[in-house]
Amino acid sequence: MTVLPSETQPVVAVGRRRPGLAFVVALLCWVPYVVGLVLPYYANGVHQRPAGETIFAHDLGTMWPYDTPLGGAVLFVTVVGVPTVPFVSAGVTMWSAFDLWAWRRTLTRGQVALYAVAAGVAGASVAWLATPLATELLLWFWD
Protein backbone atom coordinates (compact mmCIF):
# COMPACT_ATOMS: atom_id res chain seq x y z
CA MET A 1 0.00 0.00 0.00
CA THR A 2 1.31 3.42 -0.90
CA VAL A 3 1.02 6.50 1.29
CA LEU A 4 -0.03 9.50 -0.69
CA PRO A 5 1.21 12.99 0.27
CA SER A 6 -2.30 14.04 1.28
CA GLU A 7 -2.45 11.16 3.79
CA THR A 8 0.78 11.98 5.61
CA GLN A 9 0.75 13.59 8.99
CA PRO A 10 0.86 17.39 8.99
CA VAL A 11 4.06 19.01 10.12
CA VAL A 12 3.69 20.56 13.55
CA ALA A 13 5.06 24.07 13.61
CA VAL A 14 7.03 24.86 16.73
CA GLY A 15 6.20 28.25 18.20
CA ARG A 16 8.91 30.81 18.58
CA ARG A 17 10.50 31.15 21.94
CA ARG A 18 10.69 34.74 23.10
CA PRO A 19 13.16 35.19 25.93
CA GLY A 20 13.44 38.90 25.15
CA LEU A 21 9.72 39.35 25.73
CA ALA A 22 9.98 37.58 29.09
CA PHE A 23 12.81 39.93 30.04
CA VAL A 24 10.86 43.05 28.99
CA VAL A 25 7.81 41.95 31.00
CA ALA A 26 10.04 41.28 34.01
CA LEU A 27 11.48 44.79 33.70
CA LEU A 28 7.98 46.27 33.40
CA CYS A 29 7.15 44.70 36.76
CA TRP A 30 9.44 47.27 38.35
CA VAL A 31 7.67 50.30 36.83
CA PRO A 32 4.94 50.73 39.49
CA TYR A 33 7.50 50.47 42.29
CA VAL A 34 10.04 52.81 40.75
CA VAL A 35 7.70 55.45 39.31
CA GLY A 36 5.06 55.43 42.02
CA LEU A 37 7.05 54.79 45.19
CA VAL A 38 10.83 55.07 44.95
CA LEU A 39 11.04 58.06 42.61
CA PRO A 40 8.82 60.35 44.75
CA TYR A 41 10.65 59.19 47.88
CA TYR A 42 14.08 60.24 46.62
CA ALA A 43 13.13 63.08 44.24
CA ASN A 44 11.29 64.98 46.98
CA GLY A 45 13.99 64.46 49.59
CA VAL A 46 11.85 62.38 51.94
CA HIS A 47 14.81 60.07 52.48
CA GLN A 48 16.66 63.02 54.11
CA ARG A 49 14.05 63.64 56.78
CA PRO A 50 15.20 63.90 60.41
CA ALA A 51 15.56 60.61 62.26
CA GLY A 52 12.62 61.21 64.59
CA GLU A 53 10.23 62.39 61.85
CA THR A 54 7.80 59.82 60.50
CA ILE A 55 7.27 59.35 56.78
CA PHE A 56 3.55 59.94 57.25
CA ALA A 57 4.24 63.64 57.92
CA HIS A 58 4.79 64.03 54.16
CA ASP A 59 1.67 64.10 51.99
CA LEU A 60 2.39 62.01 48.91
CA GLY A 61 -0.35 63.67 46.86
CA THR A 62 1.38 67.07 47.00
CA MET A 63 4.73 65.73 45.81
CA TRP A 64 6.28 65.29 42.41
CA PRO A 65 5.19 63.48 40.15
CA TYR A 66 1.73 63.30 41.73
CA ASP A 67 1.24 67.08 41.56
CA THR A 68 2.01 67.26 37.82
CA PRO A 69 -0.43 66.81 34.93
CA LEU A 70 0.79 63.20 34.68
CA GLY A 71 -0.05 62.60 38.34
CA GLY A 72 -3.29 60.81 37.50
CA ALA A 73 -1.51 58.40 35.19
CA VAL A 74 1.23 57.78 37.75
CA LEU A 75 -1.40 57.18 40.41
CA PHE A 76 -3.29 54.76 38.14
CA VAL A 77 -0.13 52.83 37.25
CA THR A 78 0.79 52.58 40.92
CA VAL A 79 -2.68 51.65 42.23
CA VAL A 80 -3.20 48.99 39.55
CA GLY A 81 0.40 47.88 39.24
CA VAL A 82 1.47 47.36 42.84
CA PRO A 83 -1.14 44.67 43.62
CA THR A 84 -0.71 42.89 40.28
CA VAL A 85 3.09 42.85 40.08
CA PRO A 86 3.52 39.73 42.27
CA PHE A 87 1.17 37.77 40.02
CA VAL A 88 2.79 38.94 36.79
CA SER A 89 6.23 38.26 38.26
CA ALA A 90 5.20 34.75 39.23
CA GLY A 91 3.90 34.24 35.69
CA VAL A 92 7.16 35.42 34.14
CA THR A 93 9.15 33.17 36.45
CA MET A 94 7.01 30.15 35.59
CA TRP A 95 7.07 31.03 31.88
CA SER A 96 10.87 31.26 31.92
CA ALA A 97 11.27 28.05 33.90
CA PHE A 98 8.87 26.19 31.60
CA ASP A 99 10.60 27.36 28.43
CA LEU A 100 14.01 26.54 29.89
CA TRP A 101 12.83 23.02 30.67
CA ALA A 102 10.77 22.40 27.54
CA TRP A 103 13.39 23.71 25.09
CA ARG A 104 16.54 22.82 27.04
CA ARG A 105 18.06 20.96 24.07
CA THR A 106 17.42 23.62 21.44
CA LEU A 107 17.97 26.92 23.25
CA THR A 108 21.10 28.89 22.58
CA ARG A 109 23.22 30.14 25.47
CA GLY A 110 21.92 33.66 24.91
CA GLN A 111 18.32 32.50 25.16
CA VAL A 112 19.09 30.53 28.32
CA ALA A 113 20.75 33.60 29.82
CA LEU A 114 17.80 35.85 28.93
CA TYR A 115 15.30 33.43 30.44
CA ALA A 116 17.42 33.10 33.58
CA VAL A 117 17.81 36.87 33.92
CA ALA A 118 14.08 37.39 33.32
CA ALA A 119 13.26 34.91 36.07
CA GLY A 120 15.74 36.59 38.38
CA VAL A 121 14.44 40.11 37.70
CA ALA A 122 10.84 38.96 38.16
CA GLY A 123 11.70 37.14 41.37
CA ALA A 124 13.58 40.18 42.66
CA SER A 125 10.51 42.37 42.18
CA VAL A 126 8.62 40.09 44.56
CA ALA A 127 11.53 39.73 46.98
CA TRP A 128 11.84 43.54 47.15
CA LEU A 129 8.46 43.63 48.88
CA ALA A 130 10.05 42.01 51.94
CA THR A 131 12.55 44.85 52.45
CA PRO A 132 12.00 47.51 55.13
CA LEU A 133 12.08 50.28 52.51
CA ALA A 134 9.32 48.64 50.50
CA THR A 135 7.21 48.15 53.60
CA GLU A 136 7.63 51.79 54.58
CA LEU A 137 6.88 53.07 51.07
CA LEU A 138 3.82 50.86 50.62
CA LEU A 139 2.39 51.94 53.98
CA TRP A 140 3.08 55.55 53.01
CA PHE A 141 1.40 55.13 49.64
CA TRP A 142 -1.69 53.28 50.84
CA ASP A 143 -2.17 55.67 53.78
Side-chain angles (χ1 to χ4, degrees):
M1 182 159 136
T2 307
V3 178
L4 299 176
S6 63
E7 296 175 343
T8 61
Q9 295 293 326
V11 176
V12 177
V14 177
R16 290 183 57 199
R17 294 162 307 279
R18 301 178 193 265
L21 183 60
F23 179 67
V24 168
V25 173
L27 285 177
L28 287 176
C29 288
W30 283 94
V31 169
Y33 298 147
V34 172
V35 172
L37 300 173
V38 176
L39 189 63
Y41 182 71
Y42 287 106
N44 294 301
V46 179
H47 66 288
Q48 297 173 344
R49 68 187 187 279
E53 184 179 330
T54 178
I55 194 170
F56 300 109
H58 303 275
D59 185 20
L60 184 64
T62 61
M63 296 183 173
W64 184 88
Y66 292 102
D67 63 348
T68 64
L70 293 176
V74 171
L75 181 66
F76 178 77
V77 165
T78 307
V79 167
V80 172
V82 167
T84 59
V85 162
F87 300 104
V88 174
S89 295
V92 169
T93 303
M94 288 186 287
W95 170 18
S96 298
F98 174 78
D99 276 0
L100 280 172
W101 178 255
W103 303 103
R104 65 189 176 275
R105 292 186 177 95
T106 60
L107 290 175
T108 65
R109 289 183 183 180
Q111 290 173 324
V112 169
L114 267 177
Y115 276 130
V117 170
V121 169
S125 68
V126 175
W128 181 77
L129 293 173
T131 64
L133 177 64
T135 303
E136 184 178 44
L137 293 179
L138 286 171
L139 288 173
W140 182 43
F141 178 77
W142 294 114
D143 182 43

